[in-house]
Amino acid sequence: MNPSPGARASERSAWLALLAVAVVGVLGWLSMHPPAPVSAAAPATEFSAERAIVVLRRLLGDETPHPVGSAANRAVRDRLVDVLEELGLEPQVQRTVGCSGSGPLCARVENVIAAIPGQRDDTVMLMAHYDSVPHAPGAADDGSGVVALLETARALLADGPTKNRILLVFTDAEEVGLLGAEAFFAEHPLAAQVKAVINMEGSGSRGPSLLLRATSDGGRLVRLFKEAAPAPVALSVAQEIFARMPNDTDFSVAERAGFPAIDFSFAYEFNHYHTPLDTIANLDPGSVQHHGENLLPLVKLLRDMSLEETAPAFSYLTVQQKFWLSWPATWNLPLALAALLLPLLVIARVSQADRAALGLSLPRLLAGLGIAGAVLLLALLLCFGLLWLADQIAGTRVNFPANPWPWRLLVYGACGLSLGALGWWLAARLSFWPLFLGAWTLLGLFALTLAVAAPLAANLLLVAGVPAAVLATVGLSGRWRAAGRLQSGIAIVALALLAYSMLTLSFANEETQGWRLAPAIFAALALLVVALIPLRPGRGFVVIAAVALLAGLVWSGVTDLYSPQRPQHVSLHYVLDRDNERAQWAVVASNPLPKPVRRAGGKITLAPARPWTIGDVPHFDAPVVEIAPSEMLIERDGNQVKLQYRRRAAEAYVLLVVPKSAGLSGAKIEGRALNLENSGENIVLALFAPGDAGATFELTFDRDGPVSAWLADGSNQLPLPVHNLVKARGELAVPQHRGDQRVAYRVITL
């Protein structure tokens, strides 16, 4: 049977809508690219990524990783001081012990601080950290932030005097718990004069410098950034996402200390984060340039104005790095309610005969809402199910696969098939308006939920939901309301507006969160599919979606999961039990162990990486390497215990682990009181970079009597220079985060 003229027109509209979505998707993808780097020949008052990277090469030298307390970190610190002095500044090094505000964790830190003097003491603080994790050169994280501050300072000095002091704070020990920032805000006398904080971070190795988040009173800083930035990339939803993630930056310390602050970061090619691939060669100069184009114009505004004013946070979304869609977050709830109620108010004014002609009866409207819900649910179920099936075929799910296209085809195909198979079949039984109102009512309900639960994210749906409600109102109240072209136009315009925010969010989530958080990728696509329902795609749409889905499924089973640029993350921990003279390799991996590692290691046992940790990881027997124990002195007076630890080797950290059942009620490291509130079954007291001075722990228990505890020390270097497991790991696997470690522990009595 040939399709009716109405069906053919609907199919043409659906393909036109898909073309609009594709165009908008390309625009959204392009909007997430950083600007081109500026050459070193640029005027002295401008920011040049080329100049900044020259400085970065100087700071990092041979790109040896430089964790807190290491000789390499001291070398980076000295070069940083030299660069600041050459700028004509007078840097100081704050040497102290910084302790976390959220856990029993401290480090000996050496913050580098320099000020561009102003006519008054009010201070704009620019912050970046100069330490790295133990196995990453730290070019992006956070060498990019360091040189962004240095190049900004150079440009400011070339631009003349400033009214407000500009304070450059290069923190140490960020990677082990934000401890340099904790020390600055807790102890440094200049902290009291800070009126605004801008933190610069780098994850991954490329991507736009995103306005990641602002404090609750940092709305004025965001507005000034809106005024100053030539190419802004900002989505307030990022703040809602980040607040629900375990990641953190020095920004959080400023926020807890009560300072208005904003945070910038780039995070594309996140697979390089905290790995040996965080190199200058992999760092995109455009990301450094974007850092500078965000930072320098903003500081130029802040340097001469009053810093006393603050303002609450607000919702914002940038379009093509040019335009801002922004409004107070308090508007989101009323806007969501208006988007839901406005079409209903218009329907109430339509005559009964016209309502019948347009299919606006209550049962049909509810049917339209039900179809929208069914399509959304099917899209989500197909995405979950097909990704699970791909996992079984590939043997695992890789967060950042070497080739992401098979998984993209799976998700796009699943979303399309849900619309074609279910939406097309069901939608053929309803006219346009019940489908349109049903789809946008469902989207409006999601916007309403976000406005209550995550206010800074609701704008992602409202930027399309409010215009859709207005368009529906016009279409229902006008004399052209039955015209097919008008209906298609309304649906396509509303769809295109939603596509920009949903596709941009989906692209950004894939680049920064990866496929282990696949719902963050396909949930946005599934919501976009709902808005396609009123256009009723036909059989061709179903066929193309099914082909894409099957191609993705087959491709995922034959493609390489890892590559030298996107390797697996596998860290080796040499764990020595001093009491039993037994050593093991604990292998911390993001996916099943590489086959060469399994073969080289031999028999696998599963156990916690340390006796005091939770969660099993693979272990292999290892040869016992003699590691001289460090000296310790324990003094007990009733329920008070003092342990003094003096090292005999170059430890990166020392741990004292006390079971919670022992009744530890208070603790200090180097005289600093510790926060024990968030501890688990075992309370891990840690001092990083103990240095020649070692560590002093002071403990208070709620009862007298001996207590058994673990005393451990660790190094960032394996005790065996070359081992078969290291060789077997090969070029398709690299250490990540704390990386390869040597840990030696024993049980002591306190």
Side-chain angles (χ1 to χ4, degrees), residues 431-502:
S431 58
F432 172 82
W433 284 112
L435 293 172
F436 183 87
L437 293 172
W440 283 97
T441 296
L442 181 63
L443 293 169
L445 291 171
F446 278 109
L448 184 64
T449 302
L450 288 175
V452 174
L456 296 177
N459 60 334
L460 287 174
L461 293 174
L462 292 176
V463 293
V466 172
V470 173
L471 290 170
T473 299
V474 173
L476 286 168
S477 59
R479 57 185 174 181
W480 309 282
R481 58 189 172 210
R485 290 184 178 177
L486 174 65
Q487 294 172 357
S488 297
I490 288 173
I492 290 172
V493 170
L495 173 67
L497 292 172
L498 184 66
Y500 189 87
S501 59
M502 291 295 102

Side-chain angles (χ1 to χ4, degrees), residues 6 46 67 120 137 206 222 253 291 294 297 311 391 442 452 455 472 613 650 690 749:
E46 294 183 14
R120 49 189 178 227
R206 62 181 181 86
V222 178
V253 183
H291 256 356
N294 286 344
D391 294 346
L442 181 63
V452 174
T613 60
T749 301

